[in-house]
């Protein structure tokens, strides 16, 4: 399966609908999540990606990755696909696809596509037994070629989230957090670090001010403390306002 270099015309149309074709060499890793793909040809020159306002998804596509004479077992492809939570299989071989055909430690869910006549497809989910409570595998869906990429992408994203929840359940001390919550926690860590740095600079400033004031008149001393106190009060009010919305984290 991993050694396939191309697929049918309907398969190519399906890939086109998954997302935007990108040239890996021109991608900025700080702007586009590449999922570990090499930018300089080792994993091919192109892939498909998709994003909305809050999420990015990259697809490891076996037919876009090169086959190598020195890698008959397609280990280079498997190191990406075998470590994905969700695998999408476009099965137009006429044979049944069995769960675990592509072996990987983190392959929890497989989305199986079987092309049918009249530009329609049968789509169903398979998952490991320990994930059956989070993924519904009881209902298969028939969908047109036109709507197939949208359905499969949404099923893959939802199955990936279920896989993340399952993985975090194995470690109760590390509860799964949504992207929004994880981002909020990171902001709070950055804010706490900035507060600590500001307080350390403020302490140094007060110490120098007190030493300097000993050789000045007494009238200048309360003015220095008054300004410092006003800045501290403003900072406290700002922090309090933010904490009102983030104490639940």
């Amino acid at each position: 399966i991993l050694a396939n270099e191309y697929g049918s015309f309907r398969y190519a149309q399906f890939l086109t609908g998954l997302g935007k074709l990108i040239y890996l060499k021109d991608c900025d890793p700080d702007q586009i999540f590449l999922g570990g793909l090499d930018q300089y040809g080792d994993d091919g020159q192109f892939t498909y990606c998709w994003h909305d306002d809050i999420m990015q998804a990259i697809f490891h596509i076996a037919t876009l990755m090169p086959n190598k004479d020195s890698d008959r077992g397609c280990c280079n492809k498997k190191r990406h696909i075998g470590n994905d939570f969700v695998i999408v299989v476009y099965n137009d071989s006429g044979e049944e696809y069995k769960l675990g055909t592509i072996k990987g430690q983190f392959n929890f869910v497989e989305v199986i596509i079987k092309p049918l006549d009249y530009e329609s497809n049968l789509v169903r989910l398979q998952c490991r037994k320990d994930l059956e409570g989070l993924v519904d595998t009881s209902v298969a869906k028939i969908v047109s070629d036109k709507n197939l990429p949208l359905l499969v992408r949404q099923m893959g994203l939802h199955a990936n989230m279920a896989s993340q929840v399952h993985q975090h359940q194995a470690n109760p001390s590390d509860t799964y957090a949504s992207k929004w919550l994880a981002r909020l926690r990171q902001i709070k860590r950055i804010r706490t670090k900035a507060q600590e740095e500001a307080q350390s600079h403020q302490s140094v400033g007060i110490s120098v001010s007190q030493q300097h004031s000993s050789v000045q008149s007494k009238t200048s001393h309360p003015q220095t403390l008054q300004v410092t106190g006003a800045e501290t009060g403003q900072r406290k009010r700002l922090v309090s306002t933010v904490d009102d919305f983030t104490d639940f984290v």
Side-chain angles (χ1 to χ4, degrees):
I1 294 176
L2 294 178
N4 288 333
E5 297 180 343
Y6 57 87
S8 64
F9 175 72
R10 291 174 67 183
Y11 167 76
Q13 283 186 315
F14 165 69
L15 292 183
T16 302
L18 280 178
K20 178 183 178 181
L21 183 67
I22 59 172
Y23 184 42
L24 291 173
K25 193 173 182 179
D26 288 344
C27 292
D28 181 358
D30 294 331
Q31 300 295 326
I32 300 178
F33 172 68
L34 296 178
L37 291 175
D38 180 72
Q39 291 185 262
Y40 302 103
D42 194 46
D43 297 319
Q45 296 183 342
F46 301 93
T47 193
Y48 284 89
C49 73
W50 171 88
H51 71 89
D52 60 10
D53 292 339
I54 61 172
M55 184 183 302
Q56 289 188 11
I58 196 81
F59 297 95
H60 297 143
I61 302 173
T63 53
L64 292 182
M65 297 181 185
N67 291 331
K68 301 178 181 179
D69 294 336
S70 59
D71 185 18
R72 296 291 184 180
C74 298
C75 294
N76 189 59
K77 295 183 180 183
K78 189 177 179 181
R79 70 188 177 94
H80 294 295
I81 298 174
N83 285 311
D84 291 334
F85 286 155
V86 182
I87 294 180
V88 177
V89 180
Y90 193 95
N91 183 18
D92 56 0
S93 65
E95 301 178 1
E96 288 296 322
Y97 180 86
K98 295 182 179 180
L99 179 67
T101 299
I102 300 176
K103 299 185 183 300
Q105 181 179 357
F106 302 106
N107 298 151
F108 294 117
V109 183
E110 294 175 345
V111 183
I112 313 299
I113 304 168
K114 183 179 180 180
L116 304 175
D117 295 334
Y118 306 107
E119 298 183 350
S120 61
N121 306 268
L122 178 67
V123 183
R124 58 191 177 90
L125 289 176
Q126 293 181 343
C127 70
R128 290 179 4 184
K129 290 184 178 180
D130 51 351
L131 211 73
E132 290 179 350
L134 296 173
V135 177
D136 183 12
T137 60
S138 62
V139 179
K141 297 176 174 59
I142 295 180
V143 62
S144 66
D145 284 353
K146 180 180 179 180
N147 295 314
L148 178 65
L150 175 60
L151 174 66
V152 170
R153 188 176 63 224
Q154 289 301 109
M155 293 175 71
L157 292 174
H158 292 166
N160 185 74
M161 182 177 295
S163 301
Q164 292 184 48
V165 172
H166 168 74
Q167 190 177 40
H168 283 275
Q169 283 180 342
N171 185 7
S173 63
D174 188 17
T175 306
Y176 170 75
S178 68
K179 301 297 182 182
W180 292 98
L181 186 55
R183 187 179 295 110
L184 178 59
R185 289 174 174 173
Q186 183 66 18
I187 291 173
K188 291 190 68 176
R189 283 193 288 267
I190 294 173
R191 188 193 67 184
T192 301
K193 183 178 180 180
Q195 288 175 349
E196 292 174 352
E197 292 179 354
Q199 290 175 356
S200 63
H201 291 315
Q202 183 181 4
S203 299
V204 173
I206 292 176
S207 177
V208 172
S209 175
Q210 289 175 345
Q211 293 177 3
H212 184 63
S213 64
S214 62
V215 296
Q216 292 180 340
S217 62
K218 296 182 179 181
T219 57
S220 63
H221 183 66
Q223 293 179 357
T224 303
L225 295 180
Q226 183 178 357
V227 173
T228 305
E231 291 177 352
T232 304
Q234 290 178 351
R235 186 178 296 109
K236 286 183 177 180
R237 286 196 295 273
L238 177 60
V239 171
S240 177
T241 303
V242 175
D243 282 336
D244 290 341
F245 295 95
T246 60
D247 279 344
F248 67 93
V249 182

